[in-house]
Amino acid sequence: MRDLPVPADAGPGTRIEMVTGINGRGDVLDMAEQDYEVPETEQHLQGSYPVLWPGDESPARTLAPSGTLEPSHVQDIDESGRIVGYDWRGPWHEYRPFVRTPPHTGPGSSPGVRARTRTAPSRRSARRRT
């Protein structure tokens, strides 16, 4: 059993939302959520962000934001430490997938989009042509 404390740079009211991935090296990937109202200013701090606990049990690290206003969600981590996830772009927009590679110092990069291939005509449309 391993304790997973919030990162040292996490603000007040931060809690672990869900563990999304664990690899064979013991790296643990998670989503943390902050929900806190500052008593002095009544400012409401709220948001989710990805967190990584390295398998060598060094301190937890908050992963860099994606650069958008929408939250980044992490889904899994492989044996090399590569992280996959997505940014939610809001209603009527698409999810934007990303890949983050060690040392995880910057935002993720897009893995690209699968090229559309031209499909062969169906038998029905081929018969109409003859």
Side-chain angles (χ1 to χ4, degrees), residues 24-108:
R25 297 185 322 186
D27 298 327
V28 178
L29 192 59
D30 161 278
M31 291 299 297
E33 182 176 8
Q34 182 180 30
D35 190 3
Y36 180 73
E37 190 165 316
V38 180
E40 299 81 19
T41 64
E42 297 183 10
Q43 178 185 13
H44 192 175
L45 305 174
Q46 185 175 10
S48 295
Y49 52 89
V51 176
L52 173 67
W53 285 270
D56 63 6
E57 298 198 23
S58 56
R61 295 181 23 217
T62 301
L63 298 179
S66 64
T68 67
L69 296 176
E70 286 75 24
S72 295
H73 298 274
V74 290
Q75 294 295 297
D76 208 355
I77 185 167
D78 70 10
E79 301 308 311
S80 70
R82 186 175 43 210
I83 296 170
V84 294
Y86 64 90
D87 291 326
W88 167 239
R89 303 295 235 178
W92 302 285
H93 298 281
E94 296 182 11
Y95 294 96
R96 183 181 148 263
F98 64 75
V99 176
R100 292 180 177 191
T101 55
H104 309 112
T105 54

